[in-house]
Amino acid sequence: MKNPNILLVEDDPSVAQVIYAALDAEGMTVDSCSSVDERNQRLSLNEYDLLITDVGLGEADGIETLDAVKAINPDMPIIVISARNTLDTAVRASETGAFEYFPKPFDLDELVEVVQQAINQKTDRSAVLDYDDDDMPLVGRSTPMQNVYRMITRLLNNDLSVLVMGESGTGKELVAEAVHQLGHRKSGPFVAVNMAAIPAELIEAELFGHEKGAFTGAVAAAAGKFEQAHGGTLFLDEIGDMPMHAQTRLLRALQSGEISRVGGKDLVKLDVRIVTATNKDFPQLIEEGKFREDLYYRINVVPVELPPLRDRVDDIPALLTHFLKMAAREGLPQKQFSDQAITLLQHHQWRGNVRELKNLVYRMSVTAREEVISDKAVSDLLMNEGAQDPEKPNQDSFSDDVEKLVGALAKQENSNGKVYGLALEQFERPMLEAILKLVQGNQIKAASMLGINRNTLRKKLTEYGIDPSLIR
């Protein structure tokens, strides 16, 4: 078998060199170029087994220009790499028929593994769809969100059941909307149901519909959410709150692919994709007998884990811009946040996650007098609302810790006259390291947050042997 022949299109020489070396070590022949014109020329002169292309290639877009590639070699698998780490990029790569999409930075071993898989398999192709980032239901380019985007792109052309998990306010319904809007059922309806908001005795009628006279108040027949979602997607939010009797009927419907209305006998064939969501611990619910284990495995074919906002603080600037645009489109005053305000918001813990951030943006759009919202305005709002950092110890807990530390130091031999200095040293070093970690090694920001002179900070870092570049 001949060595695979690969064309690599990457305009960053260092990235190109790393990929080249990794593939060459696996015995693959790699041709490298840095522009769309060079790519097309090489494709017209050579037969390649696979194409690896960056998205940003100078003025050109590596995805938009793939029509020319498919015209030359329609059966060649394509791997897309990109520093434009948005859901839009992931979806466009998937829609163009790319075998895989890798956001930068990526795991080199995984890239090599996927290259080998791609060469041994054929991929389906579909037309490129044009999406705008502002139209995407999900926003952010952080590594945790990249994992979510890549999972979503794997769900667009099938009807596998999806279970979206995450804390309240992380945007679970947005994932469901993305799976629907970007997938092959996008022309059908998207129907969302919150299980926690429906009285237990009405859930079956709400989901499966009812016939006239089926129960008191049923003065006319009505279609349920399953029928309303025919040809599209049914999103069952907070499914962990569904009562057991409704779980049994839902399991039967998913197993048979048919439903009957409450009080009716006729069967209705299902044609819906099921996406469910929860912020609860399913194994615990199952152990407590509150959720059917067989239903759990039926809905949890493909799990999607949404990260809390505190684990993706790099996305906060993009989310702020997104919500400010939304607020302006709804007629609220056009605002923006100062750099200091953004930094402050990135240090908040966001127990309410993205929903809490969105609400804050809307309130600031209404209440802030200045066009550029300052860190003081943000701080005042958070203080007025009683926002408390959940990781910040309360005063009693902090006092207990100090008491234990001082007690331990006082018991040390020859500690007389040294306790103050020893205690300060015990606290100061981890405090400096924590501050530097928060600001990614930026000494100017660290000094500002601490309220000390930059030279004083530098002196203390030298004293404790702390290298900011390593913390960065």
Side-chain angles (χ1 to χ4, degrees):
M1 181 178 177
K2 73 179 184 68
N3 291 344
N5 196 18
I6 298 171
L7 178 60
L8 170 63
V9 189
E10 170 60 69
D11 60 358
D12 186 327
S14 59
V15 175
Q17 179 58 39
V18 169
I19 295 175
Y20 179 94
L23 297 178
D24 181 68
E26 296 295 324
M28 302 180 193
T29 302
V30 184
D31 243 352
S32 182
C33 61
S34 59
S35 70
V36 170
D37 290 340
E38 287 182 90
R39 178 199 71 189
N40 294 344
Q41 183 178 15
R42 289 176 188 257
L43 286 171
S44 64
L45 297 175
N46 301 281
E47 186 71 23
Y48 291 99
D49 298 299
L50 179 137
L51 170 69
I52 302 175
T53 182
D54 194 5
V55 175
L57 297 170
E59 298 283 328
D61 185 305
I63 294 179
E64 289 182 355
T65 60
L66 286 181
D67 281 342
V69 173
K70 289 182 285 185
I72 299 170
N73 190 340
D75 297 322
M76 179 179 59
I78 300 169
I79 293 176
V80 175
I81 59 179
S82 176
R84 302 176 184 177
N85 302 334
T86 64
L87 176 57
D88 169 57
T89 306
V91 169
R92 289 169 59 226
S94 174
E95 294 291 351
T96 200
F99 185 86
E100 184 58 279
Y101 160 72
F102 283 93
K104 296 179 181 178
F106 48 80
D107 186 291
L108 198 57
D109 291 335
E110 185 181 0
L111 175 65
V112 172
E113 182 181 347
V114 170
V115 166
Q116 292 169 334
Q117 292 173 359
I119 290 172
N120 295 324
Q121 297 179 33
K122 291 183 178 180
T123 58
D124 295 325
R125 301 293 195 269
S126 60
V128 176
L129 297 182
D130 184 22
Y131 293 109
D132 189 302
D133 271 355
D134 287 341
D135 296 329
M136 291 292 104
L138 293 163
V139 175
R141 303 186 180 195
S142 63
T143 298
M145 289 305 294
Q146 292 305 307
N147 297 329
V148 174
Y149 298 160
R150 292 176 70 185
M151 184 59 70
I152 289 175
T153 62
R154 289 172 168 81
L155 298 168
L156 303 185
N157 297 313
N158 57 65
D159 285 326
L160 297 175
S161 297
V162 181
L163 173 61
V164 188
M165 295 172 287
E167 296 178 7
S168 179
T170 50
K172 295 185 288 293
E173 184 168 351
L174 297 181
V175 172
E177 290 178 1
V179 170
H180 174 77
Q181 293 174 9
L182 306 173
H184 69 108
R185 285 182 173 268
K186 58 183 172 291
S187 60
F190 176 81
V191 178
V193 187
N194 188 328
M195 295 291 98
I198 305 174
E201 64 274 13
L202 297 179
I203 280 186
E204 291 189 38
E206 186 77 14
L207 292 179
F208 307 110
H210 61 82
E211 297 295 347
K212 180 179 179 180
F215 51 85
T216 302
V219 295
K225 300 301 184 183
F226 270 97
E227 290 182 72
Q228 295 172 26
H230 180 80
T233 301
L234 177 60
F235 174 54
L236 303 178
D237 196 8
E238 304 299 351
I239 194 169
D241 291 310
M242 177 180 271
M244 289 296 288
H245 66 86
Q247 292 179 33
T248 301
R249 186 157 184 165
L250 175 61
L251 176 63
R252 190 181 309 121
L254 297 180
Q255 288 174 333
S256 66
E258 296 176 325
I259 62 167
S260 61
R261 293 181 178 180
V262 176
K265 296 180 179 180
D266 295 336
L267 295 176
V268 179
K269 191 72 175 175
L270 296 181
D271 179 22
V272 295
R273 182 189 200 140
I274 303 297
V275 180
T276 56
T278 186
N279 61 1
K280 296 193 173 181
D281 183 350
F282 265 125
Q284 182 178 345
L285 290 178
I286 293 170
E287 185 177 341
E288 294 173 353
K290 296 179 180 178
F291 201 88
R292 295 186 59 126
E293 187 172 14
D294 45 4
L295 177 58
Y296 169 67
Y297 288 117
R298 177 68 65 169
I299 62 176
N300 188 28
V301 178
V302 181
V304 178
E305 185 81 36
L306 260 182
L309 185 55
R310 62 182 174 274
D311 289 346
R312 47 178 293 220
V313 294
D314 290 345
D315 290 333
I316 286 179
L319 286 165
L320 291 173
T321 299
H322 178 72
F323 292 140
L324 286 169
K325 288 181 179 178
M326 287 179 59
R329 284 198 295 266
E330 294 177 25
L332 298 181
Q334 181 71 58
K335 304 283 186 180
Q336 65 183 91
F337 286 87
S338 70
D339 291 343
Q340 294 83 359
I342 293 174
T343 299
L344 177 61
L345 292 171
Q346 287 180 305
H347 292 148
H348 186 56
Q349 285 299 310
W350 301 111
R351 286 178 289 181
N353 290 295
V354 178
R355 184 186 297 127
E356 181 187 356
L357 178 64
K358 178 182 177 181
N359 290 343
L360 178 140
V361 171
Y362 273 63
R363 284 195 296 276
M364 296 300 296
S365 295
V366 172
T367 61
R369 293 186 177 89
E370 65 270 31
E371 184 177 330
V372 179
I373 301 171
S374 67
D375 54 337
K376 183 180 184 306
V378 171
S379 178
D380 289 346
L381 179 63
L382 293 176
M383 290 291 289
N384 289 338
E385 293 183 349
Q388 174 73 31
D389 186 333
E391 291 188 358
K392 179 181 178 181
N394 61 43
Q395 190 61 42
D396 291 338
S397 174
F398 184 74
S399 297
D400 289 343
D401 291 339
V402 172
E403 184 176 345
K404 291 177 183 177
L405 173 63
V406 171
L409 292 173
K411 292 178 182 178
Q412 292 182 8
E413 189 176 353
N414 299 322
S415 63
N416 188 32
K418 299 179 181 179
V419 171
Y420 177 81
L422 291 171
L424 187 62
E425 183 177 343
Q426 289 281 330
F427 175 74
E428 194 169 34
R429 181 188 179 95
M431 179 188 68
L432 293 173
E433 291 176 337
I435 288 290
L436 286 169
K437 187 175 181 180
L438 281 174
V439 298
Q440 299 181 323
N442 188 312
Q443 294 183 53
I444 296 177
K445 288 184 178 179
S448 176
M449 289 184 67
L450 290 165
I452 62 176
N453 184 278
R454 187 181 176 189
N455 291 331
T456 302
L457 173 62
R458 189 181 293 118
K459 180 180 178 181
K460 289 183 177 294
L461 296 180
T462 301
E463 178 183 339
Y464 289 115
I466 300 172
D467 186 350
S469 65
L470 296 180
I471 295 178
R472 187 191 306 274

